[in-house]
Amino acid sequence: MKQKLRVGIAVDLPDADLELISEFEPRLDLVHEPGLYRPHRWNGDWEGDPDFTRTPAQNERYTRMLNSVDALFGIPDVNPALLGETVRANGDLRWVHTTAAGGGAQVKAAGLTAAELERVAFTTSAGVHGSTLAEFALFGVLAGAKNLRKLQADQAQKLWPAERWRMRHLDEMTVLVVGLGGIGATVAERFKACGSTVWGTSRSGKAVPGVDRLIDPSQLAQAAGKVDAIVATLPGTASTEGLLGSEVFAAVRQGTILVNVGRGTVVDEAALIPALNDGRIGFAALDVVAHEPLVATSALWDHPSVLISPHTAALSDQETSRIARLFAQNATCLLDGKLLRNRVDTVEFY
């Protein structure tokens, strides 16, 4: 492997994070073109301001930069079509790191050939968002256990109920984590620390700290009928689409809490609505939905047992720095001939 790696910064990245990358891996030649990127509207806004338009001269400079490097930090404009164009135009491109944890879906959407997928290594930022998403998962289950929506409604009406009601406690609950990857493992750790009994689905059967019982995915529905809460952390793939659907919701116990911090397509929303209406799912905290933004006509908006978060639970002040640090670590692996972390599976694209 060459001793220097020419890296094109394809998305807006703060100067402090550029310095962080160089500090962690000084063998990188970072090609950064200020003024060519869609500017961040908030920390971690990789898509950038949609109103930003490059001049023809700027677009030429941007394209020339993309086509002259060995690796890319970020998918250009977070646009799969532009990624496809870049891979085909730049025969020297060997590695692309996506800023999304679920960047495999973006790679799939680029429509690359088998030869192109073989030539270029793709990695994601999976795991970077684990702690923030785990906190939202904890918050979501607590919101259901403590009946947050009722508390809010009563407070809005200045209503002090004549009778108090019981609240569920985390140390009396069994939580099923669907997917024990980087995010799922962190979710399991958080719930275990709160005294919950933690189950988790696993294809490998490999032990995960904090998980009391491993569940084979084929037994998902049976397990769902024995727990108090279900937390989905899975990526969006063909095999996970609608996984939490009618079979699982028919098996759950009355009042089961559902939280989704993975991908919206994992939950079959058409099956979720009746499960919410009859109380089988007593509460759902959804950071993601199948089609974003959620359409105004969706019944999920007004449902009294649903809390909607606009796919924002992963964001934090530290996101860009965490991704920059992961990128630098992976660059070291590439330069030293070691395996890359979070490499995209180009069959399932996760």
Side-chain angles (χ1 to χ4, degrees), residues 46-47 74-75 78 97-104 106 123-126 129 263 319 323:
W46 302 109
E47 289 84 356
I75 290 177
V78 196
H97 182 81
T98 75
T99 53
Q106 298 168 336
T123 57
T124 75
S125 295
H129 311 95
R263 283 296 178 264
E319 177 177 353
I323 293 176

Side-chain angles (χ1 to χ4, degrees), residues 75 80 83-84 86-88 90-91 93-96 98 103-124 340 343-350:
I75 290 177
L83 172 63
T86 303
V87 169
R88 285 186 285 274
N90 184 354
L93 189 64
R94 292 293 177 267
W95 173 38
V96 175
T98 75
Q106 298 168 336
V107 176
K108 181 179 181 180
L112 301 171
T113 66
E116 290 164 344
L117 291 170
E118 178 68 23
R119 171 169 64 86
V120 182
F122 296 93
T123 57
T124 75
L340 292 168
R343 186 157 182 173
V344 172
D345 179 320
T346 54
V347 176
E348 290 281 351
F349 288 95
Y350 69 87

Side-chain angles (χ1 to χ4, degrees), residues 134-299:
E135 286 185 5
F136 183 86
L138 189 64
F139 164 72
V141 172
L142 278 169
K146 308 305 181 185
N147 211 335
L148 175 64
R149 294 303 302 273
K150 175 175 171 53
L151 293 172
Q152 291 175 312
D154 287 352
Q155 181 174 346
Q157 297 178 53
K158 299 182 175 64
L159 173 64
W160 190 281
E163 295 184 4
R164 296 187 296 173
W165 71 93
R166 70 178 180 85
M167 291 185 175
R168 287 186 276 180
H169 300 265
L170 290 180
D171 64 2
E172 297 175 349
M173 299 176 70
T174 298
V175 179
L176 172 61
V177 182
V178 183
L180 288 174
I183 295 171
T186 306
V187 169
E189 179 185 72
R190 293 292 194 278
F191 278 98
K192 191 63 179 176
C194 291
S196 301
T197 299
V198 181
W199 296 2
T201 63
S202 170
R203 289 186 296 182
S204 69
K206 182 180 178 181
V208 175
V211 178
D212 300 290
R213 179 179 173 184
L214 294 174
I215 305 296
D216 187 273
S218 65
Q219 302 299 307
L220 175 60
Q222 293 92 319
K226 300 175 182 178
V227 301
D228 301 289
I230 300 170
V231 177
T233 70
L234 292 170
T237 69
S239 62
T240 65
E241 185 171 353
L243 185 66
L244 296 180
S246 55
E247 183 182 3
V248 170
F249 297 145
V252 297
R253 299 186 295 190
Q254 200 77 0
T256 297
I257 297 168
L258 173 68
V259 178
N260 191 3
V261 292
R263 283 296 178 264
T265 53
V266 173
V267 174
D268 181 347
E269 291 167 9
L272 174 60
I273 297 296
L276 284 162
N277 289 341
D278 65 20
R280 283 173 287 145
I281 296 298
F283 182 82
L286 307 174
D287 181 53
V288 288
V289 292
H291 300 286
E292 298 177 0
L294 184 62
V295 296
T297 55
S298 172

Side-chain angles (χ1 to χ4, degrees), residues 15-43:
D15 290 343
D17 295 318
L18 288 167
E19 294 173 6
L20 182 65
I21 291 173
S22 295
E23 179 183 338
F24 271 83
E25 182 43 83
R27 292 175 291 177
L28 299 181
D29 176 15
L30 299 181
V31 184
H32 180 241
E33 293 277 358
L36 298 186
Y37 308 109
R38 294 178 176 176
H40 280 175
R41 293 162 292 177
W42 55 80
N43 191 56

